[in-house]
Amino acid sequence: MSKFIIKGGKKLSGEVNISSAKNSVLPILAATILSGGKCVIKNSPMLEDVFVLCDVLKTLLAKVNIDKINNIVEVDTSNLSDLNVSDDLVRKMRASFLVMGAMLARFGRFKISLPGGCNIGSRPIDLHLKGLAALGAKIKVGHGYVEAYADKLTGADIYLDFPSVGATENIMMAATLAKGVTIIENAAKEPEIIDLAIFLRKLGGNIQGEGTDTITITGVEKLEGVEYEPIFDRIEAGTFMIAAAITNSAITLRGVNEKYLKPVIAKLREMGVKIDINNDSMFVDGRNKLNPTDIITMPYPGFPTDMQSQMMSLLAKVNGTSIITETIFENRFMQVGELTRMGGNIKIDGRSAIIEGVQDFTGAEVKATDLRAGAALILAGLCAKGETVINDVYHIDRGYVSIEKKLKALGADMERV
């Protein structure tokens, strides 16, 4: 099993190209089911989660071709016939559940095993099922499976109790081929929702209001295959921004959009990081003395929960007291124990973490307990005294494309063994 070895204390410099967003690519891949034709996804990140969802599509008898050299995924869903997904694939990645809305819209029935929880807490699918039921699906849950049936989905007014990204995506896909108009209120506003809406429109869908809390979908009879390039990964971009700050370095990010990074930019600037933006290029200068701050994670456009762990590593190195309050997931402080092993001074009080900055992290052998916790450990290792060994890096590989190669190109002493 792979591990990362990092010798800390190296300054970073140069440029890094930010990959496309995994959290955009996954629902877009699921939405190819609706097209009933061939879709070409350009600049797709070559990540394990992407490969798993491609395997899901293959079990449904889609033709999938992955070009790892040119970062292209081709999906032909014209001959889908199997309406069940392998239990093992759903257990591997709960985003597999995103195919349910699309399959139900196209074929009128679908069966999938219930996704389990994950290391950062439970992520209930009740909002997904309520939304599909509102569109006319009959839902049956039992013996570890969800089955859904509908002669024809019909548009409806749907209010989400929480602006769930996954539920918004599943309902959007199902409603695209439903009869009539669907209105989703209290919808998620994330950039990845906007990206999915643009993709569905390119297929021939009729969607308006993405990026606001009310999305309107007018069902159409048929969709066509297209070529598409997803948006950049704002979480990868934020991670590299923090890499510059935590190592007191200056680097340039390429292929980003200021609009989607505003919460992270605002907090880093508040701390004293200089950030200059020129079109899709961002210069991040973390060579100043930094100040502590408080953070509360919120649904977009609030501070993203997926950046909380990385910010904790940075704040743990900033003189003074900072507080992070996690409102999205109940168990997303799993990095705390490992950061403490590296010399961090962090205490948990309910859903808040109180962080007292220390002068230095010290290298240690640690374990990535989940994707973003693993990123936090990499960041701590970059500035730590001595050598840091990070185990279970398969979690990190789920969300970052060749992160060790990108950091090494910037000057980090980091290798995979």
Side-chain angles (χ1 to χ4, degrees):
M1 191 172 290
S2 295
K3 61 180 71 175
F4 288 143
I5 298 177
I6 305 171
K7 294 176 182 175
K10 301 290 185 182
K11 295 286 187 182
L12 306 182
S13 63
E15 300 180 355
V16 60
N17 292 317
I18 301 303
S19 302
S20 291
K22 177 196 79 165
N23 289 341
S24 264
V25 173
L26 296 181
I28 285 170
L29 285 172
T32 63
I33 292 168
L34 297 166
S35 74
K38 182 178 178 180
C39 292
V40 179
I41 312 304
K42 298 179 177 178
N43 196 29
S44 174
M46 294 293 116
L47 295 167
E48 181 61 24
D49 279 9
V50 173
F51 301 148
V52 170
L53 196 51
C54 285
D55 286 341
V56 168
L57 294 171
K58 288 176 184 176
T59 68
L60 298 170
L61 304 184
K63 294 179 181 177
V64 180
N65 181 54
I66 301 173
D67 181 348
K68 293 183 179 180
I69 295 175
N70 296 303
N71 300 325
I72 294 172
V73 178
E74 296 179 352
V75 182
D76 186 343
T77 61
S78 54
N79 294 315
L80 294 190
S81 59
D82 197 329
L83 302 181
N84 300 302
V85 175
S86 156
D87 295 359
D88 289 340
L89 291 174
V90 179
R91 277 192 287 269
K92 268 188 178 182
M93 187 185 66
R94 58 178 298 113
S96 305
F97 198 77
L98 284 172
V99 302
M100 187 170 193
M103 290 294 289
L104 183 61
R106 184 169 165 194
F107 296 103
R109 67 182 184 89
F110 193 56
K111 179 180 179 181
I112 191 168
S113 66
L114 277 166
C118 65
N119 286 349
I120 60 172
S122 63
R123 301 198 229 182
I125 60 166
D126 58 323
L127 295 179
H128 300 239
L129 300 183
K130 285 180 183 177
L132 296 176
L135 294 174
K138 294 179 174 63
I139 309 290
K140 181 181 177 183
V141 181
H143 305 290
Y145 287 90
V146 176
E147 293 182 76
Y149 306 88
D151 291 334
K152 178 66 177 176
L153 297 178
T154 305
D157 290 352
I158 299 170
Y159 179 85
L160 296 178
D161 296 331
F162 178 83
S164 161
V165 173
T168 301
E169 291 168 340
N170 237 336
I171 296 166
M172 284 170 63
M173 286 186 266
T176 301
L177 289 177
K179 182 180 180 181
V181 178
T182 298
I183 298 174
I184 308 173
E185 296 186 79
N186 198 30
K189 305 174 188 176
E190 271 73 3
E192 295 78 17
I193 296 289
I194 298 172
D195 209 25
L196 176 61
I198 294 170
F199 177 71
L200 291 172
R201 263 200 301 275
K202 285 202 72 174
L203 293 179
N206 186 346
I207 299 173
Q208 298 171 336
E210 70 277 3
T212 75
D213 58 8
T214 303
I215 300 175
T216 303
I217 305 110
T218 303
V220 298
E221 288 291 327
K222 188 179 179 183
L223 299 171
E224 304 288 344
V226 296
E227 292 188 0
Y228 193 73
E229 182 171 341
I231 60 171
F232 79 103
D233 192 324
R234 60 196 171 98
I235 306 305
E236 183 190 52
T239 301
F240 277 94
M241 293 168 74
I242 292 177
I246 205 167
T247 58
N248 302 118
S249 302
I251 64 172
T252 298
L253 279 60
R254 300 288 187 193
V256 297
N257 183 333
E258 175 187 8
K259 177 182 176 182
Y260 297 152
L261 285 167
K262 281 186 175 179
V264 177
I265 291 171
K267 277 298 172 185
L268 289 176
R269 280 178 170 162
E270 181 183 315
M271 293 176 66
V273 178
K274 289 185 177 180
I275 300 171
D276 294 321
I277 301 156
N278 183 15
N279 296 322
D280 68 347
S281 176
M282 181 180 296
F283 180 70
V284 183
D285 188 346
R287 292 173 292 190
N288 296 328
K289 182 178 181 296
L290 301 184
N291 307 306
T293 191
D294 295 340
I295 289 172
I296 300 176
T297 63
M298 297 287 284
Y300 188 85
F303 193 90
T305 181
D306 279 352
M307 284 302 304
Q308 175 261 108
S309 300
Q310 301 92 308
M311 281 296 293
M312 182 178 288
S313 292
L314 177 59
L315 293 172
K317 272 272 293 163
V318 175
N319 187 41
T321 304
S322 301
I323 299 174
I324 296 178
T325 302
E326 172 61 58
T327 71
I328 308 298
F329 294 119
E330 72 275 15
N331 194 25
R332 201 160 206 176
F333 287 142
M334 296 186 70
Q335 74 276 13
V336 170
E338 303 301 286
L339 289 176
T340 300
R341 284 174 59 82
M342 298 180 68
N345 185 358
I346 306 163
K347 293 181 174 57
I348 303 300
D349 182 8
R351 288 213 165 195
S352 294
I354 298 95
I355 305 156
E356 295 289 343
V358 298
Q359 186 171 352
D360 291 300
F361 282 119
T362 54
E365 184 158 356
V366 291
K367 181 170 69 172
T369 53
D370 61 73
L371 169 55
R372 306 307 174 186
L377 297 176
I378 289 175
L379 293 167
L382 291 175
C383 65
K385 287 186 173 180
E387 183 177 274
T388 298
V389 179
I390 304 175
N391 295 293
D392 292 354
V393 301
Y394 62 89
H395 287 296
I396 302 169
D397 291 338
R398 287 184 49 236
Y400 292 93
V401 178
S402 303
I403 191 169
E404 76 280 11
K405 293 179 182 177
K406 290 186 176 183
L407 285 168
K408 198 167 184 177
L410 292 172
D413 188 340
M414 177 178 179
E415 62 179 334
R416 180 191 296 264
V417 297

